[in-house]
Amino acid sequence: MLSVFRTRTSTFLTACFLASAAVASPDSRPATAFQMAVAEFAPSGSGIAEFYRTNGFSPVWVGDTPEHAVRRARLIKALSASHLHGLPEGAFSVQTLVDQMENARSTRDLGAVEIELTRAFVEYARNLQSGALRPRDIDDGLVRKVERKSAKDHLHGVISAGNGQYFDELAPQTYQYKALMKQKIALEHLVQQGGWGATVPVAKLEYGDTGLNVIKLRNRLVSLGYLRPTASPEFDDALLAAVQAFQGDHGLAADGVAGQGTLSEVNRSASDRLKAVYVALERERWLPRERGERHILVNQADFSAKIVDDGLVTFETRAVIGKNIHDRRSPEFSDEMEHMVINPSWYVPRSIITKEYLPKLQSNPNAVGHIQITDRSGRQVNRGAVDFTQFTARNFPFAMRQPPSKSNALGLVKFMFPNKYNIYLHDTPQKSLFAREVRAFSHGCIRLAQPFEFAYALLAKQEEDPKAFFHRVLASGKETTVQLDQHVPVHLIYRTAYIGPKGEVQYRRDVYDRDRKIWDALQKAGVALPDVQG
């Protein structure tokens, strides 16, 4: 497209800028016709208008130099390929932009083209670098602050970078993003070809079963890449291993039994998986570019917490996340872990006090006896001297605290990254919950299956013998704050599609229904799945 545009308009561009130069004086610098046109078409009060004012209304795209030609070519190429990133085309049609360039007949037309190209570029750059959607508009649990560059910064960036290099650096440069892009292309091709074939229409299959449904399960797993082609009607050792491998890649208990949960995931369509990858790409664009050489990654959809050092997972443990009800779902955001508290007290959140404990106290003043009731000065209150029935959730004047102990709700250690959502990572006495497949039980904080080992890993950077240090403090029984010499970035994410350590794609269930909302928003913005070929 652009080669045609250059051929038809190169003479016109040169003539326009020679004319502009002829009327411009180095001393008085009167506005040229092109500058006046740019000023006219730039959105009033916008970052684009501010950029052109500070740039002397000089062209970014429609100049007649080789640099301008390269920028134009890269912009049209980028806009034409925006769908490859799972982005909506946006408010700007590539064909419309090219038609405008080809049909420009005056300097004023050229100014209008300049602004239209700039508007398309800024939208594209923001979408690719920071995401096409605003998280807070989709779900109140998406409290992540997305770093979005101004129009002025993007325009200065594309001018400063040579040979269109700026376009190459807009998308996240992470391994996850690049690998998800490959998976997206593979799935799009698969969707066009009709997907993975027939589903498995039963509730349960296990080792030793035979028959047509076993063949259907086998065929489905062959299509999914977990088994070599065979026509055996038996649920044999090979099929058992394939089922277990599939379960492992989908966050299921790897027992080798194709029960209702496993078959539900086996029967998911290629289109469903593609939607999850589109959403994962958008989520990856929301994350900070600088994650930290060492950082903590909590994937809520995977019920896991990891420590990542220089791109490699050096520690991983199971996690429990917030219960799937409105005021308990764990939010998504990034912060910095500053310290841990060994032998912590649990200061009961106000919401739990008023919604859960106050009704119990009104029925029985001795209820929840393991929790201390304290006044504003922190002094323990005599329960027998209080008529709890006179209070409501609004005027209840007391706080509640559970002292350090093995039965403490926070267990024996908590890991703090102070935030307004009152979310942190911690131990728990409810160890049995970590054996569950779906682990959404907390009030919003993240519980760790191996909190001591997590603490050792964090302390290894500052203690010669982190395990001995930790247990020495623990044995004191005293509530002790241990500062981290180097704060560690924490990223609470929610990823139902991601690439595992061996390059395999992993899928998880959308327990909070957030990904469905994000996909609906992407679709509304103009993202579409490929058509199935007839």
Side-chain angles (χ1 to χ4, degrees):
M1 287 183 184
L2 192 60
S3 60
V4 175
F5 163 69
R6 281 202 296 261
T7 301
R8 294 184 182 179
T9 61
S10 58
T11 303
F12 173 69
L13 287 169
T14 303
C16 283
F17 281 99
L18 285 174
S20 295
V23 298
S25 164
D27 298 324
S28 59
R29 296 185 181 275
T32 66
F34 176 77
Q35 291 170 332
M36 292 174 65
V38 169
E40 176 187 351
F41 289 107
S44 178
S46 67
I48 291 175
E50 180 186 355
F51 165 79
Y52 279 102
R53 281 197 301 272
T54 59
N55 198 44
F57 297 95
S58 297
V60 176
W61 314 103
V62 300
D64 61 344
T65 69
E67 290 80 6
H68 289 99
V70 168
R71 269 186 230 130
R72 287 195 303 274
R74 286 304 307 270
L75 176 59
I76 296 300
K77 180 181 178 181
L79 294 175
S80 299
S82 63
H83 66 281
L84 297 178
H85 293 272
L87 292 174
E89 186 178 74
F92 300 95
S93 160
V94 174
Q95 186 59 56
T96 299
L97 289 170
V98 171
D99 289 344
Q100 282 185 285
M101 289 189 285
E102 291 180 350
N103 295 326
R105 293 294 179 265
S106 67
T107 305
R108 186 173 182 276
D109 291 344
L110 204 60
V113 168
E114 171 75 18
I115 295 302
E116 287 304 296
L117 291 172
T118 290
R119 291 173 67 179
F121 163 73
V122 170
E123 181 179 284
Y124 169 81
R126 284 175 171 167
N127 287 355
L128 185 54
Q129 189 172 70
S130 309
L133 307 175
R134 294 185 179 275
R136 286 178 179 271
D137 295 340
I138 300 166
D139 187 281
D140 57 11
L142 299 173
V143 295
R144 177 171 304 286
K145 294 180 180 177
V146 179
E147 300 171 3
R148 298 182 75 88
K149 279 188 177 182
S150 67
K152 186 176 179 180
D153 287 341
H154 278 303
L155 287 162
H156 280 305
V158 78
I159 290 174
S160 301
N163 297 320
Q165 181 182 356
Y166 193 75
F167 290 92
D168 299 328
E169 299 172 351
L170 283 171
Q173 302 300 303
T174 61
Y175 168 75
Q176 280 290 321
Y177 192 85
K178 294 174 182 178
L180 284 167
M181 285 281 288
K182 291 181 181 179
Q183 182 65 14
K184 171 184 168 293
I185 293 169
L187 281 170
E188 286 175 334
H189 178 72
L190 187 63
V191 168
Q192 289 177 324
Q193 300 305 313
W196 288 303
T199 56
V200 187
V202 291
K204 184 179 180 181
L205 290 168
E206 57 188 328
Y207 188 79
D209 286 345
T210 62
L212 180 61
N213 286 325
V214 172
I215 294 175
K216 289 182 178 180
L217 174 60
R218 184 182 296 276
N219 290 343
R220 187 78 174 181
L221 289 173
V222 168
S223 297
L224 286 162
Y226 287 92
L227 198 61
R228 292 182 178 179
T230 173
S232 172
E234 296 183 7
F235 198 127
D236 53 17
D237 290 338
L239 184 54
L240 176 67
V243 169
Q244 289 174 322
F246 177 89
Q247 289 169 328
D249 286 347
H250 293 76
L252 306 167
D255 56 10
V257 177
Q260 186 173 358
T262 295
L263 289 175
S264 175
E265 294 303 302
V266 165
N267 287 333
R268 290 281 294 273
S269 69
S271 293
D272 283 345
R273 297 307 189 193
L274 180 56
K275 291 174 187 176
V277 171
Y278 273 111
V279 170
L281 288 167
E282 177 72 358
R283 285 182 170 281
E284 190 74 8
R285 291 187 285 263
W286 290 347
L287 286 174
R289 286 303 174 99
E290 297 299 325
R291 313 282 168 86
E293 291 182 6
R294 158 169 275 208
H295 63 267
I296 296 163
L297 192 68
V298 177
N299 185 355
Q300 297 170 24
D302 183 43
F303 309 106
S304 68
K306 302 173 183 177
I307 297 177
V308 181
D309 289 291
D310 297 318
L312 298 176
V313 176
T314 55
F315 179 82
E316 181 174 0
T317 184
R318 289 187 165 205
V320 166
I321 66 171
K323 193 173 182 178
N324 186 25
I325 59 178
H326 177 261
D327 59 347
R328 294 193 186 181
R329 298 184 189 105
S330 300
E332 301 173 46
F333 64 98
S334 295
D335 211 305
E336 283 194 351
M337 186 171 290
E338 300 177 3
H339 62 272
M340 67 181 71
V341 180
I342 304 173
N343 297 313
S345 293
W346 180 41
Y347 296 91
V348 185
R350 180 76 181 178
S351 61
I352 297 177
I353 292 174
T354 57
K355 292 180 181 179
E356 298 183 31
Y357 290 170
L358 178 56
K360 293 180 180 180
L361 292 168
Q362 289 171 335
S363 298
N364 176 11
N366 294 315
V368 292
H370 61 292
I371 305 289
Q372 295 177 355
I373 299 176
T374 58
D375 61 18
R376 288 185 175 87
S377 300
R379 295 176 299 227
Q380 189 166 348
V381 172
N382 179 2
R383 293 167 177 250
V386 178
D387 178 9
F388 292 104
T389 61
Q390 67 176 309
F391 299 115
T392 66
R394 181 172 296 181
N395 66 8
F396 187 71
F398 305 116
M400 301 183 75
R401 169 183 175 268
Q402 185 181 19
S405 71
K406 289 184 178 180
S407 61
N408 187 286
L410 304 183
L412 294 172
V413 60
K414 66 178 180 179
F415 304 91
M416 304 300 292
F417 40 104
N419 57 82
K420 64 182 179 181
Y421 314 108
N422 200 27
I423 298 296
Y424 42 90
L425 278 57
H426 65 87
D427 183 17
T428 176
Q430 296 180 293
K431 304 296 186 183
S432 63
L433 296 179
F434 294 107
R436 304 284 187 91
E437 195 172 80
V438 176
R439 298 186 289 276
F441 299 103
S442 81
H443 283 82
C445 286
I446 309 300
R447 304 175 188 174
L448 304 179
Q450 297 173 283
F452 288 9
E453 291 80 359
F454 189 80
Y456 308 156
L458 291 175
L459 292 169
K461 293 285 187 178
Q462 61 192 64
E463 297 293 337
E464 186 175 342
D465 189 341
K467 185 174 180 180
F469 171 85
F470 179 86
H471 283 278
R472 186 166 60 250
V473 177
L474 184 66
S476 73
K478 296 180 180 179
E479 186 168 358
T480 305
T481 297
V482 178
Q483 299 291 338
L484 296 179
D485 291 349
Q486 292 184 336
H487 293 178
V488 183
V490 180
H491 307 291
L492 303 185
I493 67 171
Y494 182 101
R495 195 64 62 79
T496 63
Y498 63 95
I499 307 302
K502 297 179 181 179
E504 77 284 7
V505 63
Q506 301 254 336
Y507 293 106
R508 297 295 182 265
R509 285 165 284 195
D510 187 11
V511 65
Y512 285 165
D513 201 35
R514 284 181 185 159
D515 273 20
R516 180 195 60 79
K517 294 179 182 178
I518 295 172
W519 169 251
D520 288 347
L522 284 171
Q523 204 170 23
K524 188 176 180 179
V527 175
L529 295 179
D531 294 328
V532 178
Q533 293 179 359

